[in-house]
Amino acid sequence: MQVIRNFFTGIFSVLKITSSPLLYRYPYRNSAEGLRKDWLCIGRDIKTIIGKLEENSDGNRRK
């Protein structure tokens, strides 16, 4: 009886480790949608940096 109990305890311990957490939920329907959002954020960041660089270069020319 102890052998069967140990067997099932071992099986269930593996299942608990390999299962995904229930609290995590990916906010996008698929990976392409998530990738699109990431690239939009990257593009926005690049545009912001370029704008700041242009402001700095314009300010340096005036001096």
Side-chain angles (χ1 to χ4, degrees):
M1 188 69 173
Q2 185 67 26
V3 173
I4 294 172
R5 183 179 297 158
N6 289 341
F7 175 76
F8 283 114
T9 301
I11 292 294
F12 288 122
S13 69
V14 171
L15 292 176
K16 288 179 185 176
I17 292 172
T18 58
S19 65
S20 63
L22 297 176
L23 297 176
Y24 177 76
R25 183 174 156 239
Y26 194 64
Y28 305 108
R29 289 177 287 197
N30 55 36
S31 60
E33 191 175 290
L35 185 62
R36 179 182 179 276
K37 172 68 173 151
D38 291 343
W39 277 108
L40 288 173
C41 290
I42 291 169
R44 186 184 64 235
D45 292 344
I46 291 172
K47 188 175 181 180
T48 301
I49 291 171
I50 289 173
K52 289 181 180 180
L53 290 173
E54 287 176 349
E55 287 175 5
N56 287 343
S57 66
D58 290 343
N60 291 336
R61 289 180 188 162
R62 293 178 186 168
K63 290 181 179 179

